[in-house]
Amino acid sequence: MRLDGQVAVVTGGSRGIGREVAKKLSAEGAKVVIAYAGNDEAAKKTAEECRDAVCVKADVSDEAAVEKLFEEAMKINGRIDILVNCAGITKDNLVLRMSSEDFDRVMKVNLYGSFYCSRCASKIMLKQRYGRIISVSSIVGLRGNAGQANYAASKAGVIGMTKSMAKELAKRNITVNAIAPGMIETDMTAVLPENIKDEMLKTIPMGRPGKAEEVAEAILFFASKESSYVTGQVLAVDGGMAV
Ligand code: NAD
């Protein structure tokens, strides 16, 4: 298996894309630490679907909680080879109606959360002289989207951070990449009104939404040794939406 003996931390691992990533990395031989915000049952279900996984509760927007998460992960497995920043939220509204609280909250979880986790992971990976950091951005971070200024800003921020960290860490054998999913069928998109979903579908050349497993496959490539000469990249997994 591709990831035998490796340890992965997956944030937002309790459901959606994060759950499929945890399952995929585990199926390839990794020991997985599932970091989750609050849903104990959902996190437990993901762990049961993995070969070798533990759950650690941590709100990624809380700096101290993230530090504890990585201390805990190191206590359990002694190393961290892979970090997947998958935790994310939306709080959509037009800019004119968007509260500062909703702007802050989305930035705090999506951008600051990825920063706190990447900083903790890179400290450990620098000592190991090996690591793979993968952040889940969005095509909205590349192209913008009406009603999602906070989300788009956070996901564009993730891309800027990914490219900067890739340059900082390249000499130590640590790669840093991002995935930009399009419209993926998860709880996050299930709540969108039908007319919005129909409009979005019209913009996808493949004519269908993506599956969380399809995003997990792309993340597996960045997480594996096979992607050793790839860093600072943003891979769209979007059925052609951003072409
Ligand atoms: P989801 O809502 O099903 O899952 C989000 C996960 O993030 C959940 O496990 C949730 O518990 C976790 N989370 C939320 N706030 C957190 C916090 N403060 N601390 C720790 N964990 C927290 O959504 P999803 O569709 O699986 O999204 C996963 C990632 O993919 C997100 O970053 C999202 O922005 C991104 N994304 C999704 C789509 C899509 O169409 N579904 C498209 C592009 C990007």
Side-chain angles (χ1 to χ4, degrees):
M1 283 184 285
R2 281 205 238 177
L3 304 177
D4 265 344
Q6 296 200 27
V7 178
V9 173
V10 180
T11 73
S14 60
R15 65 181 213 188
I17 294 170
R19 170 176 284 168
E20 293 308 316
V21 171
K23 284 164 58 182
K24 173 71 58 193
L25 300 185
S26 161
E28 289 291 336
K31 294 178 180 188
V32 181
V33 177
I34 298 161
Y36 70 104
N39 190 336
D40 301 311
E41 274 310 301
K44 212 174 121 208
K45 185 170 181 292
T46 305
E48 282 166 5
E49 290 175 15
C50 291
R51 207 182 40 93
D52 188 352
V54 292
C55 304
V56 179
K57 195 187 266 190
D59 176 349
V60 296
S61 69
D62 177 342
E63 194 172 352
V66 169
E67 278 175 18
K68 267 203 203 131
L69 159 69
F70 281 85
E71 274 168 28
E72 187 71 14
M74 283 298 278
K75 255 190 230 156
I76 298 168
N77 290 307
R79 59 183 294 121
I80 295 171
D81 303 282
I82 301 160
L83 165 67
V84 183
N85 288 310
C86 199
I89 57 166
T90 53
K91 283 188 181 293
D92 298 349
N93 219 330
L94 297 171
V95 167
L96 281 179
R97 293 195 205 126
M98 188 176 284
S99 68
S100 302
E101 288 73 25
D102 282 357
F103 191 90
D104 280 350
R105 187 65 197 148
V106 169
M107 293 299 279
K108 206 67 191 158
V109 174
N110 298 3
L111 181 57
Y112 281 69
S114 300
F115 164 64
Y116 297 147
C117 292
S118 301
R119 186 174 56 183
C120 283
S122 60
K123 255 184 221 161
I124 295 160
M125 290 171 178
L126 278 166
K127 287 191 193 133
Q128 296 171 177
R129 293 193 169 251
Y130 180 84
R132 297 277 187 265
I133 298 175
I134 303 113
S135 296
V136 181
S137 176
S138 167
I139 58 153
V140 168
L142 293 169
R143 307 198 321 173
N145 194 25
Q148 291 197 304
N150 51 357
Y151 184 74
S154 71
K155 295 297 187 180
V158 164
I159 290 172
M161 190 169 72
T162 296
K163 293 183 178 183
S164 305
M165 285 184 58
K167 289 184 174 178
E168 287 182 24
L169 300 172
K171 286 214 168 69
R172 299 293 185 93
N173 206 21
I174 300 167
T175 65
V176 189
N177 292 288
I179 298 284
M183 184 188 181
I184 310 298
E185 269 173 346
T186 66
D187 292 336
M188 185 178 268
T189 46
V191 296
L192 290 172
E194 283 307 314
N195 62 327
I196 303 267
K197 278 196 230 174
D198 290 344
E199 283 309 309
M200 283 172 84
L201 278 177
K202 282 184 204 156
T203 68
I204 303 174
M206 284 192 183
R208 65 168 179 87
K211 295 185 173 58
E213 299 92 299
E214 292 174 307
V215 181
E217 284 291 351
I219 290 176
L220 172 62
F221 170 66
F222 283 144
S224 68
K225 290 193 169 148
E226 283 80 355
S227 63
S228 50
Y229 202 54
V230 183
T231 197
Q233 298 305 302
V234 184
L235 178 62
V237 180
D238 66 351
M241 201 174 182
V243 173

